[in-house]
Amino acid sequence: MPPGWGNENCSLTSFRLRDGRGWLCWRHVGHSPSWLADDLSISGVRDRAGKVKKVVGISGLGVVFAAVVWRSRVSSLFSANYLPHRFCYLAQPGLIWTNTLSDSLIALAYGLLVVCLLWIAVRLRRVPPFQEYLWIFLSFAVFIAACAATHLMEVVTVWWPVYPLSAAVKVLCAGAAILTAILFGRATPALAAKIPWVMNALSTTQQERDEARAALLASEKILAERMRADVEIAAANARMNHILDSSREAILKIGTDWIVSYGNLRATEILPDLVVGSDFWGCFPALAGTQAERCIRRTMDEHTPTNYEIFYEPYGEWYGVSVFPTPGGVSLFCSPITAQKKLEEQLQRERAEAFEQINSVMDSTAEGIVKLGHDWSILYGNRVAREILPDLVVGKSYWECFPAVKGTASEHMLRQVMEKRKDAEWENFYEPYHEWYAVHTYPTAGGVSLFFIPITRRKNLEAQLETERMLREKRIEALSIMAGGLAHEISNPLAIIHGTASDLQRMALSGLPMSPDEVLKASESIVNTSDRAHRILRGLKGFGREAGKDPMEYASVYEIIDQAIEMQEARFERHQVALRTELAPELPLVLCRETQIGQIVTNLVNNSLDAITQQDCPERWVSVEASRSGDNVQIDVVDSGLGIDEESRKRLMEPFFTTKTRGLGMGVGLSLSRAIANEHGGSLELCQGMTHTCFRLLLPINSSEPGSLMATGVVHETH
Ligand code: ADP
C-alpha cells in the first residue's frame, strides 16, 4: 500500500487493476466517532445552549474533516486514470486465485451463518422472553447476508465485469450494515445487562443455572436500582426546576469564569439581557464599578455571602440582591424592589415630617425634655434642654455629659426609674450650673424620659419666705422673752411722769408758789422720762414689724446698739448681769435696714445673756463693742460665758441648731442673723482664739455716705 493511504479510522484492505479499471475496498478499523460519544454526553447536560454549541462545533469539525478527506482521497476515485487501478492484483494469477478462493469461502461461511441465525430466530419466535430479541437475530442475518453477497460479487466480477451490480449490492450491504450497527449499538447496554439472563437460559447444568440466576438477580437489582435512581434524579431535577421556576426571585448561577450557567424562569422575565452561557458582565455592563460588582466579586473571592440593593439604570428598577458562594462560582437571588423602595421613601418622608412636627411641639414647650436609652445614652434633647443644659450632647452617655450628677440623690432616682419602670419626681441642685431643677422622670420604651424646669427663682423665693417666716417667729420669741421686762421698762417712766405731773398739778391747784427752777426740773424730768419710754416703744415697734422690705437707709450704729440694749436692760438687771458698751467715737453712718441690724444685735446679746445665766458663770457681764475696721464697722458682742464646745462651733450657723432647752430657743437666730449680714454685704462670725466668747458683725461702709457722723461714742453700763 502506498504511503499516506488510510488514517486512524480507515485503511485500504486491497486493490487490483483490471482493464484499466479498479476498485477500492475500505475497511472500518477505528473507533466510534467522537461526536457520537460527545452527543451522548451532551444529552445529559441540562444546558441546552451549551449542548447546541457543542453539536455545532463538532459538526463543523466533521465537515472540515470530510472536505479534507474528499479532496485528498475520495475525489481521485472519479478519475479513470487513477494510478492505483493499474496495480489491482498486480496482474498475478496467484493473487487472483487467492482472493477469489478466499472471497468464495467467506461468502460460503457467511451464508451458513445466515442460515443458523434464521434457524435460531424461527425456533425462538414462540419463546416469550426471546420474542423481543428476535430482531437482533434477523438484523444480524441481514447484515451477514449482505457481507456474503459482497464477497460473492468479488468472485463474480473476476469473470463477469458486472461492476454496477457489484456496486449496487455493496450500497445495499452498506445500508444494512449501518442499520444493524445503529440498532445494535443502541441496544448494547440493555443487552449487556441481560447477559446473565441469557447465560441462565443457555446453561445446562444445575450449578451453572444457579450461578447464572444469582448473577441475573444481582444485575437485575442493580439495573432496577439504577433505573429507579435515574427516574428519581430526573423527577428531583424536574421538581427542583419547577420550584426554581416558580420562585418570585430571579435565581442565577455564575461560574468562576463569570459565565452564566443557569437562570430560572423569573430571571429571564425580569432580566431581559440575561443570556445563559454568556459572560455575566457582558450581559449587564452597567454594573461595572458599582456596589453590585464589588459585592459579587467579594463573594466570589472570599466565599462570603453579601447583600446589596441597587438601582439598575438601564431597566429603571431597584433590585435587592443576595449573593451566595456555591461550588464552582456564585448564586444570585435577585428581586425587584422598586415598589417597596418607593414605599420606604414615602414612609421616610412621612416619618421625617411627623418627627418635624413632634419636634416643633417639643421645642415649643417651656420644659426641657431629654430621652435616655437603656444604656444611658442621650437619644434626644428638645430646644429648651439644649439651651439650659449646654453640656447635653445627643449620642453621648448621660453620665459623661453630667458627671456631677454621679453619687447624688438624682442618680439614685434615675436608676430607680430605669429599673423599676415607675415614674418619679424630685428637685435637684446641679452644682456646675448653680441651678435648681424640678425633674419628672417617666419610664418610656427603650429607656426613660426626663422633663425638667429650672426652679432656682422659685427656690430662692421659697428660701426668702422661709427666712421671713423664721424671722417672724424669732421676733415673737424675742418679744415673749422681753415682755416681762418691757412692762417694767414702760411702767417705770410712766410712774415717774405721772408722779411729777401730779406734783405740778397739786401745787397749781393749792395755789402754792412755784419757782421757775422747780417747774423746769419737773418738766425736764417728764421730758427725759417720756423720751426714754418713747425710745423703748420705738424699738418695740421695729420688732413687731416685717423689716425685710424696708428701704436701705443710712443709720447710726450708736442708735441701733442703744435701742437694742435698752430693751434688754430690765432682763440683765433681773439676772444680775452687767451689760456694757464700748463704742468708738465718730463711727460713720451705715447703709442698712436699721431694724434688721438691731435684731442681729438683740439676738447676739440675748444669746450671751442665756449663756451666762444657763451656765451659772461666776463672771457675769456682756460687752457690746463697736469700732471701725478697714472699710467696715465692726460690732463685737463679747460675754463672760464658759464658751462653746468644738462640736457646737461647727454647727452654730445651721438653721435649727440649738443647745437650749425647749421653749427657750428655736436654733434659727444665728443662721438668720448671718443671712441678714450677708444680705447687707457684711458678715457674722464666731471669733476664734479669744479668751471670751465673741461674735463679730461686720457691716460695709458705703463710700458715698452722707457726711454726718455721730459726735462721740458712749460708754454705757447697766447694773
Ligand atoms: P437659739 O438661740 O434659738 O438656740 P441661735 O442660732 O441663736 O439659736 O443659737 C444657736 C446656738 O448657739 C445656741 O443654742 C447656743 O448653743 C449657741 N450659742 C449662741 N451664742 C452663744 C454664746 N454667746 N455662748 C454660748 N453659746 C452660744
Side-chain angles (χ1 to χ4, degrees), residues 474 477 603-604 607-608 611 615 639 643-644 652 657-660 664-671 693 695:
K474 188 69 193 167
E477 179 199 332
N603 188 41
L604 294 178
N607 277 349
S608 292
Q615 292 164 348
D639 66 61
I644 305 169
L652 278 181
F657 172 75
T658 183
T659 57
K660 293 177 191 171
L664 266 181
M666 287 171 59
V668 293
L670 286 177
S671 58
T693 311
F695 281 90

Side-chain angles (χ1 to χ4, degrees), residues 473-689:
E473 282 178 12
K474 188 69 193 167
R475 271 197 309 277
I476 291 163
E477 179 199 332
L479 275 174
S480 67
I481 292 167
M482 289 187 300
L486 277 171
H488 173 73
E489 283 293 314
I490 306 284
S491 61
N492 258 357
L494 276 179
I496 294 167
I497 294 165
H498 187 267
T500 315
S502 298
D503 284 350
L504 284 174
Q505 191 186 28
R506 199 177 55 247
M507 286 170 81
L509 285 174
S510 62
L512 287 172
M514 281 189 289
S515 66
D517 271 358
E518 278 178 324
V519 174
L520 184 68
K521 207 174 153 194
S523 60
E524 264 181 7
S525 166
I526 290 170
V527 168
N528 285 343
T529 315
S530 63
D531 272 356
R532 184 167 139 74
H534 181 249
R535 275 205 305 279
I536 292 167
L537 287 174
R538 213 174 59 184
L540 259 184
K541 213 168 74 189
F543 239 99
R545 169 172 74 72
E546 184 67 69
K549 293 187 179 68
D550 282 0
M552 293 281 220
E553 284 173 349
Y554 286 99
S556 154
V557 177
Y558 302 112
E559 264 189 36
I560 292 170
I561 293 172
D562 206 29
Q563 275 177 25
I565 64 171
E566 199 146 30
M567 287 191 295
Q568 306 287 347
E569 274 173 354
R571 280 183 74 213
F572 272 77
E573 269 174 33
R574 209 169 46 245
H575 288 106
Q576 307 271 301
V577 177
L579 177 56
R580 299 198 292 256
T581 53
E582 275 179 41
L583 309 178
E586 299 188 350
L587 284 173
L589 295 178
V590 177
L591 187 64
C592 66
R593 292 188 190 98
E594 191 181 339
T595 311
Q596 282 190 322
I597 303 302
Q599 283 168 358
I600 296 176
V601 177
T602 306
N603 188 41
L604 294 178
V605 169
N606 260 338
N607 277 349
S608 292
L609 181 64
D610 288 345
I612 292 165
T613 53
Q614 281 180 8
Q615 292 164 348
D616 201 16
C617 299
E619 253 189 275
R620 297 168 79 86
W621 55 263
V622 175
S623 172
V624 180
E625 298 159 11
S627 59
R628 183 172 179 145
S629 166
D631 289 339
N632 294 298
V633 167
Q634 176 180 308
I635 301 171
D636 286 351
V637 177
V638 191
D639 66 61
S640 61
L642 298 180
I644 305 169
D645 63 73
E646 201 51 45
E647 189 56 35
S648 300
R649 275 174 179 266
K650 285 184 201 156
R651 306 187 54 201
L652 278 181
M653 302 290 174
E654 280 178 24
F656 305 108
F657 172 75
T658 183
T659 57
K660 293 177 191 171
T661 48
R662 209 177 163 82
L664 266 181
M666 287 171 59
V668 293
L670 286 177
S671 58
L672 281 177
S673 298
R674 173 181 263 187
I676 293 169
N678 291 346
E679 239 179 73
H680 281 74
S683 65
L684 174 68
E685 301 292 343
L686 171 67
C687 297
Q688 306 289 336

